[in-house]
Amino acid sequence: MSQEQRLRLSEMRTGAGNPNYGRTASAETRAKMSAVRKGRPMPSSRRNAHTRHHTNKAVFKESCAYCIEDQAKQNAPESEADS
């Protein structure tokens, strides 16, 4: 699939174009989704999840507090980073 096709498909499925836009899952569906996740290891902290999903994939989001914090640490002079 070309990049142009991917962008067009993405735009079609964003917001009101998404088939599930505005819907909420029923209690039964939420229970099923919860049951599927039972026993599956989850990250022990938000920081751990951030590392796995952002840092390891070289993703930066301006709305992510951990991304901002990490970028500040990288841009700080070495003497300030030690303290």
Side-chain angles (χ1 to χ4, degrees):
M1 185 180 292
S2 73
Q3 187 66 19
E4 183 180 313
Q5 290 172 322
R6 292 180 65 158
L7 287 172
R8 187 173 50 214
L9 185 61
S10 174
E11 289 170 6
M12 287 173 37
R13 298 293 179 156
T14 302
N18 184 324
N20 288 322
Y21 181 76
R23 289 184 171 184
T24 55
S26 68
E28 180 183 355
T29 301
R30 291 174 56 86
K32 286 180 184 178
M33 291 187 292
S34 177
V36 167
R37 288 191 302 270
K38 295 283 189 221
R40 194 181 285 180
M42 294 298 193
S44 59
S45 69
R46 287 181 158 275
R47 176 52 115 164
N48 188 351
H50 164 77
T51 301
R52 285 188 303 113
H53 294 290
H54 288 208
T55 308
N56 294 344
K57 295 181 181 180
V59 172
F60 176 80
K61 289 190 175 183
E62 293 182 9
S63 60
C64 176
Y66 297 118
C67 286
I68 294 167
E69 181 183 315
D70 289 347
Q71 186 180 37
K73 285 181 182 178
Q74 289 174 353
N75 293 339
E78 199 59 35
S79 61
E80 290 181 18
D82 290 338
S83 51

